[in-house]
């Protein structure tokens, strides 16, 4: 009963696959779900509300403007009741409406009014699925964070062969199960400390030296480690990002402040990930008053900052220490050099000269190196990449302990 007490609003729209909706409802209920069916006019042309009422054990809703139905369980109530809004079958027309944010019937209105996740199982003729308009709508659907289950390929009701078949009710129920499954907390009991973002090295009270680091990669790693069950502390330079759920956050400005916090927190850490773009140098003599404009040329003397990750790696109780190497050339050579020089357990290297990845971007690709191995993590969004990196770190740490 992997869907026990889960409230599912099942949207049934006008595709021939709607004849499978009765079986879908029955299977969802077999797994313990409470199901309330919402039908579009098209959906009702393929299967009767009476059938779906009988199998779901609940009244079927089909109208936004029916005062009686609204008084019983209105659209907002249904939208709030749902733990998941599942649309199966989802026609090209309903997909287009949801992608556009329309609310012209009960089902599309619920989609706008719900805070619950939405999943769709597309069902349409293969030509309609491949149509540019549908594919453009599917991009919008993905960007809205809506889960898409299917479609499958095969022979279609109209005789065509290709993509567009709704996946089978059993597969949809399996997707629902995966969707509600608690992630395996593989990192429980571990404490991860992660540095993120740039540092700011003051010149005078109003000016500073910094860099373009957004902090997105470090925050994504924090979020991924926390989701996998670790206790996480992010030491963050100035960034414009919300703290990931369940993570502790220490805000710092300068490299020296980050250094101090990192050494204090790393002592009790299982893993230390240095994702911050720390300024290599700070201003030797920070002026107390704003520097006035005068000579045509001016110079500022800089002194070297402490190397945070290298100092963490020198701790007697050294956590599994991971560095980053943002390089513009000879990535492998420089990354391996830093791995050895800083006594790291792993280094994640990326080529920041490549457009669309790294600094300030939502996507990234990494190659991770350790003393006697390496692994490619290909270009993807930083959240997905962070999940893969966290898993790789955990794997390596356990391999190290075994050897
Ligand atoms: O700047 P560099 O290329 O040496 O950075 C490599 C790694 O060292 C990164 O993980 C970075 O966060 C870390 N680092 C640090 N403290 C510094 C400089 C770099 O922790 N002062």
């Amino acid at each position: 009963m992997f869907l026990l007490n889960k409230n599912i609003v099942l949207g049934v729209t006008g595709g021939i696959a709607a004849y499978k909706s009765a079986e879908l409802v029955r299977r969802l209920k077999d797994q313990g779900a409470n199901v309330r069916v919402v039908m579009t006019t098209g959906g009702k042309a393929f299967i009767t509300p009476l059938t779906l009422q009988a199998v779901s054990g609940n009244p079927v809703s089909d109208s936004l403007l029916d005062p009686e139905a609204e008084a019983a369980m209105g659209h907002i109530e249904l939208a709030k009741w749902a733990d998941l809004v599942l649309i199966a079958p989802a026609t090209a027309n309903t997909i287009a409406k949801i992608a556009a944010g329309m609310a012209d019937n009960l089902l599309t209105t619920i989609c706008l009014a719900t805070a619950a996740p939405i999943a769709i199982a597309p069902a349409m003729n293969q030509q309609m699925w491949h149509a540019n308009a549908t594919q453009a709508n599917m991009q919008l659907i993905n960007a809205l964070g809506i889960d898409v289950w299917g479609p499958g390929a095969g022979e279609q009701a109209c005789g065509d062969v290709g993509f567009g078949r709704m996946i089978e009710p059993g597969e949809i129920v399996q997707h629902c199960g995966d969707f509600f499954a608690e992630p395996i907390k593989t990192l429980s009991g571990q404490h991860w400390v992660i540095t993120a973002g740039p540092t700011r090295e003051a010149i005078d009270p109003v000016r500073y030296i910094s860099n373009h680091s957004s902090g997105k990669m470090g925050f994504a790693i924090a979020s991924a480690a926390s989701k996998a069950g670790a206790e996480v502390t992010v030491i963050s330079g100035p960034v414009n990002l919300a703290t990931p759920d369940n993570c502790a956050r220490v805000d710092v400005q300068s490299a020296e402040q980050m250094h101090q916090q990192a050494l204090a927190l790393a002592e009790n850490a299982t893993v230390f990930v240095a994702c911050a773009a720390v300024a290599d140098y700070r201003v030797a003599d920070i002026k107390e008053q704003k520097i006035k404009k005068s000579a045509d040329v001016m110079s500022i003397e800089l002194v070297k900052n402490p190397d945070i990750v290298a100092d963490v790696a020198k701790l007697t109780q050294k956590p599994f220490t991971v560095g980053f190497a943002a390089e513009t050339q000879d990535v492998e050579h420089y990354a391996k050099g830093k791995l050895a020089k800083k006594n790291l357990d792993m280094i994640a290297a990326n080529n920041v000269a490549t457009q669309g990845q790294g600094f300030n971007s939502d996507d990234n690709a990494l190659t991770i190196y350790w003393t006697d191995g390496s692994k490619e993590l290909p270009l993807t969004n930083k959240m997905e990449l962070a999940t893969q990196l966290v898993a790789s770190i955990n794997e390596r740490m356990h391999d190290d302990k075994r050897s």
Side-chain angles (χ1 to χ4, degrees):
M1 296 273 263
F2 52 75
L3 297 176
L4 192 63
N5 294 331
K6 297 295 179 204
N7 293 340
I8 298 178
V9 165
L10 175 66
V12 177
T13 70
I16 178 63
Y19 82 89
K20 295 181 179 173
S21 298
E23 193 194 342
L24 176 58
V25 172
R26 202 179 51 75
R27 287 183 175 233
L28 289 170
K29 282 184 64 76
D30 282 350
Q31 294 303 330
N34 307 311
V35 182
R36 285 187 171 264
V37 177
V38 173
M39 301 183 79
T40 61
T41 311
K44 285 192 292 181
F46 287 93
I47 186 167
T48 70
L50 191 61
T51 306
L52 295 176
Q53 179 180 311
V55 283
S56 69
N58 282 314
V60 169
S61 311
D62 57 6
S63 169
L64 187 58
L65 306 171
D66 174 356
E68 228 173 85
E70 277 292 296
M73 192 169 197
H75 62 284
I76 298 294
E77 241 176 303
L78 268 169
K80 285 191 175 151
W81 175 84
D83 294 317
L84 172 70
V85 176
L86 165 64
I87 306 178
T91 57
N93 183 45
T94 293
I95 289 172
K97 289 181 189 178
I98 295 170
M102 286 173 67
D104 67 340
N105 62 29
L106 180 61
L107 181 59
T108 51
T109 305
I110 289 172
C111 287
L112 269 191
T114 193
I118 301 171
I120 61 170
M124 67 197 73
N125 163 269
Q126 56 86 22
Q127 193 63 48
M128 291 171 77
W129 172 251
H130 289 297
N132 289 343
T134 304
Q135 288 307 309
N137 287 332
M138 289 309 298
Q139 287 197 4
L140 290 170
I141 290 283
N142 285 326
L144 291 172
I146 293 173
D147 272 36
V148 181
W149 300 340
E155 197 173 333
Q156 304 201 302
C158 54
D160 280 8
V161 177
F163 273 96
R165 281 170 60 99
M166 185 174 87
I167 57 169
E168 295 302 322
E171 291 175 81
I172 296 176
V173 174
Q174 199 52 53
H175 276 292
C176 288
D178 293 346
F179 185 84
F180 284 114
E182 285 290 321
I184 306 161
K185 303 278 187 199
T186 42
L187 305 185
S188 71
Q190 297 185 16
H191 181 205
W192 286 47
V193 175
I194 298 155
T195 67
T199 63
R200 254 181 209 177
E201 309 301 328
I203 299 171
D204 67 16
V206 296
R207 303 182 179 97
Y208 57 80
I209 299 171
S210 192
N211 58 64
H212 290 298
S213 168
S214 63
K216 282 179 189 164
M217 192 66 221
F219 275 56
I221 295 168
S223 170
S226 165
K227 280 191 186 137
E231 182 197 332
V232 177
T233 307
V234 197
I235 307 172
S236 177
V239 295
N240 210 354
L241 297 171
T243 312
D245 285 350
N246 305 317
C247 294
R249 173 171 178 168
V250 178
D251 283 316
V252 296
Q253 296 276 323
S254 67
E256 282 188 307
Q257 289 167 355
M258 191 176 271
H259 183 249
Q260 193 191 351
Q261 293 291 345
L263 285 183
L265 286 160
E267 283 210 313
N268 299 313
T270 327
V271 176
F272 181 82
V273 185
C275 201
V278 184
D280 291 328
Y281 293 90
R282 67 180 179 279
V283 176
D285 178 22
I286 304 169
K287 299 292 181 210
E288 273 179 29
Q289 303 300 329
K290 185 179 167 199
I291 302 168
K292 290 285 173 204
K293 189 165 28 182
S294 57
D296 283 350
V297 178
M298 76 170 292
S299 50
I300 299 172
E301 196 185 358
L302 301 175
V303 288
K304 210 170 201 172
N305 269 325
D307 193 311
I308 301 170
V309 75
D311 285 352
V312 166
K314 283 180 195 149
L315 289 172
T316 355
Q317 288 260 33
K318 178 195 169 193
F320 187 89
T321 308
V322 183
F324 269 75
E327 307 293 346
T328 53
Q329 57 178 347
D330 284 344
V331 179
E332 179 171 355
H333 173 72
Y334 286 116
K336 283 184 170 168
K338 282 176 193 174
L339 179 77
K341 186 163 160 256
K342 301 191 189 205
N343 189 29
L344 307 179
D345 296 297
M346 184 188 274
I347 194 151
N350 61 337
N351 190 336
V352 285
T354 311
Q355 282 260 319
Q357 67 182 59
F359 271 12
N360 241 331
S361 162
D362 288 332
D363 295 332
N364 205 359
L366 294 170
T367 310
I368 51 176
Y369 299 95
W370 54 95
T371 320
D372 50 8
S374 69
K375 187 175 175 183
E376 295 286 337
L377 304 180
L379 185 67
T380 181
N381 64 73
K382 284 184 177 173
M383 201 52 240
E384 172 55 31
L385 189 68
T387 306
Q388 293 176 23
L389 178 63
V390 164
S392 299
I393 292 172
N394 190 43
E395 211 174 293
R396 273 300 316 145
M397 185 165 56
H398 286 102
D399 283 354
D400 269 8
K401 278 188 193 146
R402 272 195 291 270
S403 61

